[in-house]
Amino acid sequence: MALEIYLDLFSQPCRSVYIFAKKNNISFDFMKVSLLEGEQYGEEFGKINMIRKAPAIRDGDFCLAESIAIMKYLAEKYQTSDHWYPADLQKRARVNEYLSWQHMGIRMHGSKMFWLRLLIPKIMGVEVPKDKMDGALEDLEGSLKLIEEKFIGDKPFIAGDQISLADLVAIVEIMQPVGSGLDVFEGRPKLSAWRDRVQAEIGKELFDEAHRGILASQEMVKNMDSSKMQVFKPKILRFFL
Amino acid sequence: MAGRKTVELEVYLDLLSQPCRAIHIFLNCNKIPHKVKTVAIRKGENRTPEYTKLNPMQKVPVMVDNDFVLTESDAILKYLATKYDVPGNWYPRHPERRARVDEYTAWHHTNTRPHAAKVFLMEVLLPHMTGQPADPLKVERALADLSDTLEKLENMFLKRQPFLCGDDISLADLLAMCELMQPLGGGRDILKDRPKLLSWKSRVQSALGDSFDKAHTVLYSLRDRSKAKL
């Protein structure tokens, strides 16, 4: 049975897994999951993944969630090039350090921006209050600054001279607010230069393919049927407003 | 060469911090030679120019191994488990078992950690900092989120196994346990009505021996002071 990877490319961690698998020529069945339609709450998906999140993989009998765990597992199984997840103890620790920080450090802020700018106005029918938007923007900017100064610094990539899982996970998160129409690279030459290097390593075609959906978000959200998305209302009220 | 052996591994810890306790326990449990440098966040010791030079993010824990400076307890524990000769159950080498630990430690960041920490923040830290009583609505919401996480721990990770990632204790249980202890600082035992989690807790404590209580001494004192106030 082929490796199955459950993905929704609107989700940042799904993009990192997709790019990683494609870049490393790992053959898999692309199992599409539509998160905004709530497919992760269905019975079928529950059998794959008790955590009910995407991305998820099914490798024979082995099921796994969490993009970082998935990519490390695939790196080991398919013996991908060392630079993705270096065997060297200190280099690996640097990658792990970023992967740990980023959950709350950037992922939360980038995701929030996408919800505040696009999804919430669509689902709730109202614009988000200015103070909430300003607060979220401030958090995002703080994170981007830390990424530039502490994690990248004056190195070409987060872990050093070569691209690793850290850069891959970083870039997909940073692209999320971009999908909502916010150009986070403007006025950030260091971050832009890093992005260019990462894109070059991944390959422009693969990078663009993975991001096609998210970059068309503004149009897509406009055309969505907001009645199908009402299931997210309680989550929105709890987390964002 | 005769003379005192220099300890090259230093850890900067505040034992009121959950991830710091996890590292403290791991080092002691596995008898890894190290030096602890205490950083009292409540006294602002993380904001000194010296500490800021070490860690610009002004957070704990920090590990310094010779010249190698590392933050993030997740990364530090995996580094230590790999570098030192510790039993294989902590961070298994077998890819599928290792993946389970990686899966939990990722999930932990956006579930166990923030939800348990928020209860402590609302009940103890904020009132202490502002001098205002805890906001009951905010505490209620924090407890609801935490309850959700506890249910997931019971029904997902601990459904058919004694520890979060399998038959034996791992980094996952260590990190989770330290987070779930935190609300105790405010006198609140969040596990008391949850027998499944209570038995998991006693298995974890058993596996950790007295390193567990040693790491939690400061938290226990805080709990006793909180209880005395009620």
Side-chain angles (χ1 to χ4, degrees):
Chain A
M1 197 177 92
L3 170 71
E4 291 176 346
I5 308 187
Y6 291 76
L7 298 166
D8 177 339
L9 293 182
F10 283 97
S11 140
Q12 309 88 304
C14 287
R15 291 197 292 274
S16 56
V17 171
Y18 179 75
I19 291 172
F20 184 73
K22 289 294 258 204
K23 180 71 190 168
N24 287 288
N25 297 311
I26 295 170
S27 109
F28 66 95
D29 287 344
F30 186 120
M31 313 294 286
K32 189 168 184 293
V33 180
S34 178
L35 294 172
L36 284 176
E37 286 176 21
E39 280 177 17
Q40 67 277 33
Y41 300 117
E43 202 187 309
E44 265 315 297
F45 196 78
K47 292 184 193 152
I48 310 294
N49 173 14
M50 60 178 183
I51 297 178
R52 292 190 175 280
K53 294 228 161 138
I57 61 167
R58 179 155 58 177
D59 187 13
D61 289 327
F62 182 64
C63 294
L64 186 67
E66 293 293 335
S67 62
I68 287 166
I70 291 170
M71 286 188 291
K72 290 180 184 183
Y73 172 80
L74 294 177
E76 167 70 36
K77 175 163 181 168
Y78 293 90
Q79 293 289 297
T80 54
S81 289
D82 182 74
H83 63 82
W84 286 112
Y85 192 47
D88 173 79
L89 189 62
Q90 290 189 2
K91 284 202 191 130
R92 177 168 286 205
R94 277 287 161 252
V95 176
N96 281 338
E97 185 184 48
Y98 180 79
L99 294 178
S100 172
W101 175 86
Q102 62 89 34
H103 289 278
M104 296 306 254
I106 175 74
R107 172 157 174 60
M108 199 171 71
H109 304 313
S111 280
K112 193 171 188 179
M113 200 43 76
F114 190 80
W115 278 85
L116 292 182
R117 285 177 64 101
L118 284 190
L119 296 175
I120 291 176
K122 177 76 186 183
I123 296 171
M124 308 296 282
V126 288
E127 290 301 311
V128 169
K130 187 176 187 298
D131 63 319
K132 287 252 177 319
M133 194 62 104
D134 287 345
L137 197 58
E138 208 182 299
D139 287 339
L140 179 61
E141 290 185 341
S143 294
L144 293 172
K145 189 160 182 270
L146 267 172
I147 291 176
E148 272 184 320
E149 290 174 12
K150 178 195 150 96
F151 290 102
I152 302 173
D154 39 25
K155 310 190 285 322
F157 298 98
I158 292 172
D161 290 328
Q162 291 183 286
I163 194 173
S164 71
L165 292 180
D167 305 280
L168 184 52
V169 167
I171 195 78
V172 298
E173 293 295 343
I174 295 173
M175 289 302 286
Q176 197 77 352
V178 175
S180 75
L182 186 69
D183 186 359
V184 301
F185 295 105
E186 195 187 319
R188 294 196 168 91
K190 196 173 201 171
L191 198 67
S192 303
W194 166 81
R195 174 213 48 204
D196 292 342
R197 288 190 291 272
V198 172
Q199 267 183 323
E201 284 298 315
I202 290 171
K204 191 172 189 308
E205 204 182 303
L206 176 57
F207 185 87
D208 288 346
E209 189 201 328
H211 287 90
R212 194 162 296 133
I214 200 71
L215 291 175
S217 290
Q218 289 173 284
E219 197 51 42
M220 182 212 77
V221 172
K222 226 195 296 181
N223 299 325
M224 273 174 106
D225 180 358
S226 61
S227 65
K228 275 195 185 163
M229 296 159 74
Q230 294 304 306
V231 66
F232 294 105
K233 242 187 182 153
K235 168 180 169 171
I236 291 170
L237 289 169
R238 195 87 150 242
F239 285 129
F240 300 111
L241 298 176
Chain B
M1 195 168 82
R4 215 161 56 87
K5 184 178 177 193
T6 31
V7 172
E8 301 145 339
L9 182 70
E10 288 179 339
V11 283
Y12 290 75
L13 306 177
D14 179 339
L15 291 182
L16 273 177
S17 141
Q18 311 85 308
C20 288
R21 292 197 293 270
I23 290 171
H24 191 265
I25 293 170
F26 187 78
L27 289 167
N28 288 319
C29 218
N30 289 292
K31 301 192 178 4
I32 297 170
H34 65 282
K35 201 183 216 173
V36 175
K37 301 242 174 139
T38 30
V39 179
I41 296 192
R42 67 195 178 283
K43 291 187 196 162
E45 286 175 9
N46 56 317
R47 294 184 189 281
T48 62
E50 254 168 13
Y51 193 80
T52 309
K53 194 163 164 224
L54 178 72
N55 182 11
M57 295 198 286
Q58 298 182 328
K59 291 198 168 164
V60 284
V62 175
M63 177 202 87
V64 184
D65 187 5
N66 278 302
D67 293 323
F68 182 62
V69 181
L70 187 64
T71 64
E72 295 293 320
S73 58
D74 190 335
I76 294 171
L77 286 168
K78 289 172 183 176
Y79 175 90
L80 295 173
T82 308
K83 177 169 180 174
Y84 294 92
D85 189 18
V86 305
N89 53 283
W90 286 110
Y91 194 40
R93 300 204 142 254
H94 182 272
E96 287 179 16
R97 278 189 252 130
R98 173 165 289 207
R100 285 264 96 82
V101 178
D102 285 332
E103 182 186 55
Y104 177 80
T105 56
W107 186 86
H108 176 88
H109 285 282
T110 47
N111 290 272
T112 316
R113 173 145 176 75
H115 296 155
K118 198 151 193 191
V119 171
F120 183 74
L121 179 73
M122 293 298 156
E123 283 196 316
V124 181
L125 281 185
L126 276 182
H128 177 77
M129 289 186 325
T130 61
Q132 302 291 328
D135 180 335
L137 187 61
K138 290 202 167 145
V139 172
E140 202 183 303
R141 272 172 86 161
L143 285 172
D145 285 340
L146 180 56
S147 183
D148 199 48
T149 291
L150 295 178
E151 256 156 50
K152 287 180 176 159
L153 287 173
E154 283 175 331
N155 299 323
M156 297 185 335
F157 298 94
L158 291 170
K159 189 164 188 170
R160 285 185 199 98
Q161 52 198 15
F163 292 95
L164 292 176
C165 297
D167 288 328
D168 211 338
I169 194 172
S170 70
L171 296 179
D173 305 278
L174 181 55
L175 284 165
M177 195 72 257
C178 290
E179 289 297 340
L180 296 178
M181 288 295 285
Q182 195 75 350
L184 206 63
R188 183 185 286 280
D189 182 354
I190 54 171
L191 299 185
K192 71 173 164 44
D193 297 320
R194 293 181 180 267
K196 192 163 200 176
L197 289 175
L198 282 173
S199 29
W200 165 71
K201 179 182 171 184
S202 73
R203 287 191 288 276
V204 170
Q205 277 184 289
S206 218
L208 297 176
D210 55 5
S211 63
F212 184 83
D213 282 339
K214 273 210 190 104
H216 284 87
T217 316
V218 185
L219 190 71
Y220 293 151
S221 306
L222 185 60
R223 169 199 60 189
D224 296 340
R225 286 202 301 278
S226 297
K227 278 193 166 151
K229 277 196 213 147
L230 292 169

